[in-house]
Amino acid sequence: MFDYETMRVIWWAITGAVATGFVLTVGFDFGIGALLPFIGRNDVERRVVINTIGPTWDGNQVWLILLGGAIFAVWPAVYATLFSGLYIAMLLVLYTLFFRPVGFDYRSKLESPQWRNAWDWGLFIGGAVPPILMGVLVGNLLVGLPFHLDGSLRTFYDGSFFGLLMPFPLLCGVIGLLACVFHGAVYLSCRTEGPIEQRARRVAVIGGVILVVLMVLAAAWVILGIPRPEILTMAGPNAPSNPMAKTVDFSGSWLANFQTHPRMFVAPALAVLGVSAAAALAGGGRSTAAFAASAVGMGGLLWTVGFGLFPFMLISTTDPRSSLTIWDASASHLNLQWSLAITLVFLPIVLLYTRWAYRVIWGKVTAADIAKGDHTLY
């Protein structure tokens, strides 16, 4: 099929594509959950908001499972380092996600206002906390994580949960939450009408402006204030995976990849222009076009991070040589080939089913729909 080097690049791109699918779908789910207690002023309005994502929220979370599975199968060293070193953070994300299925299914079982209000705040927690922590994770991917490998390539994490909460990662956490809220508000403006749509449009306009400012601030912070590792020597992109067979120091520039491959500048341009256009379109009432622009902006933001990090996947601040790259953290060549063959069969099925599902459910959710389906809708 393909040589080892090419397979590694292909899987880096596939991993990025799956992460993009996660951001574009679960992103607006999270945002709508975070907005729920504020954008719905009474029980009927909150049920309208919930039912805009009611048919698809659980299917959207499959992208998170796909992403975790891809990392486990293709980048085992990355999986081992993240899921062992960041154990507390990962569990916190998992525990807050528990509020979502229970909140969706049990919120409307009782008519008690106290019961429903409590589950609304549970859905808020399940929508707001994960994007904050995931944003903090992205920030730490750029700053670097304190881990090292021993002679047997065992991972040892040298930090703590609170060590993750540095100023720049916290800024990324704010960006993560705001990006989801913005994306969710644009989606709500497509799927609702009346007062809810008007509120969603206002949130999209204000959130879009703030998000662009914070993205530019974060980019300047990375370029001017965060050192980037550079590979000095390595075994080669076709060599067996061994992170310790290279030398690394922090003498690189975060603009190096973009300067070497100027086409990569398309990603940050799409991030800024996409979010800006989505805010303007949402404010002008062109909700469907705004959602398309928002999706472009979210994808551009994610790929900007990916292009900047390449070929690094995890940067070690304790021992730079232990940093994991796509050239030395992948599974075997045969594993990558079989995984690609399976992915080429099943990923298109997932994409086609997702497209069909959204085509079927697309349209406005109204208070009349809630009244008509009082015993069948969330």
Side-chain angles (χ1 to χ4, degrees):
M1 194 179 282
F2 299 104
D3 63 22
Y4 205 3
E5 177 183 2
T6 304
M7 289 297 300
R8 284 163 161 163
V9 174
I10 289 173
W11 268 107
W12 173 81
I14 292 175
T15 304
V18 174
T20 303
F22 169 70
V23 168
L24 297 188
T25 56
V26 182
F28 65 74
D29 282 353
F30 284 155
I32 290 172
L35 285 170
L36 177 62
F38 311 104
I39 210 162
R41 302 295 172 81
N42 55 52
D43 183 63
V44 172
E45 289 188 350
R46 291 183 179 183
R47 291 188 68 185
V48 168
V49 171
I50 289 171
N51 281 281
T52 61
I53 57 174
T56 56
W57 71 268
D58 48 355
N60 289 344
Q61 290 200 166
V62 171
W63 289 101
L64 179 59
I65 299 171
L66 285 175
L67 181 59
I71 296 174
F72 173 80
V74 179
W75 314 105
V78 176
Y79 182 91
T81 302
L82 279 180
F83 283 78
S84 60
L86 306 184
Y87 193 70
I88 295 177
M90 295 294 183
L91 281 181
L92 188 55
V93 170
L94 181 63
Y95 290 156
T96 55
L97 287 176
F98 288 165
F99 284 103
R100 291 168 59 76
V102 182
F104 281 117
D105 287 333
Y106 284 92
R107 179 195 182 275
S108 296
K109 296 298 184 183
L110 299 179
E111 294 186 2
S112 166
Q114 292 80 10
W115 171 269
R116 294 187 175 188
N117 187 62
W119 284 117
D120 290 340
W121 285 103
L123 290 171
F124 166 78
I125 293 171
V129 175
I132 293 174
L133 291 176
M134 292 175 185
V136 169
L137 170 61
V138 171
N140 278 281
L141 293 182
L142 295 169
V143 173
L145 292 166
F147 70 92
H148 70 276
L149 306 177
D150 67 4
S152 300
L153 301 184
R154 295 179 300 172
T155 298
F156 294 87
Y157 188 71
D158 304 312
S160 65
F161 171 75
F162 292 103
L164 299 173
L165 306 180
M166 297 179 290
F168 178 75
L170 287 175
L171 172 61
C172 291
V174 173
I175 292 174
L177 175 59
L178 185 57
C180 289
V181 167
F182 168 74
H183 198 42
V186 175
Y187 184 80
L188 272 181
S189 71
C190 293
R191 300 294 314 283
T192 59
E193 60 184 24
I196 301 175
E197 180 186 4
Q198 296 300 319
R199 293 178 205 132
R201 287 168 56 184
R202 286 196 295 270
V203 171
V205 172
I206 297 172
V209 173
I210 299 174
L211 181 57
V212 168
V213 172
L214 292 184
M215 288 193 301
V216 172
L217 173 62
W221 194 332
V222 170
I223 294 170
L224 300 177
I226 298 177
R228 185 190 189 279
E230 181 179 8
I231 299 173
L232 302 180
T233 61
M234 62 179 296
N238 275 304
S241 291
N242 181 5
M244 304 303 285
K246 65 177 181 295
T247 57
V248 179
D249 69 4
F250 281 90
S251 62
S253 166
W254 286 102
L255 292 176
N257 287 342
F258 296 91
Q259 292 169 339
T260 304
H261 306 282
R263 286 175 291 184
M264 288 184 177
F265 279 110
V266 170
L270 289 177
V272 173
L273 295 177
V275 172
S276 301
L281 291 167
R286 300 177 61 186
S287 300
T288 303
F291 183 68
S294 178
V296 169
M298 297 301 101
L301 177 59
L302 181 66
W303 281 92
T304 298
V305 176
F307 287 153
L309 279 170
F310 185 88
F312 290 94
M313 301 194 74
L314 292 180
I315 297 170
S316 171
T317 56
T318 303
D319 176 22
R321 187 177 60 157
S322 296
S323 299
L324 303 178
T325 74
I326 71 168
W327 312 126
D328 54 29
S330 73
S332 69
H333 191 192
L334 181 62
N335 186 312
L336 299 189
Q337 289 177 325
W338 275 105
S339 298
L340 180 61
I342 294 170
T343 300
L344 291 177
V345 173
F346 288 102
L347 186 58
I349 296 174
V350 173
L351 293 173
L352 288 172
Y353 173 78
T354 301
R355 180 181 181 275
W356 174 82
Y358 276 96
R359 184 177 180 180
V360 169
I361 63 97
W362 197 257
K364 299 284 187 179
V365 179
T366 66
D369 296 327
I370 300 300
K372 185 188 304 182
D374 186 57
H375 297 290
T376 57
L377 296 178
Y378 287 121

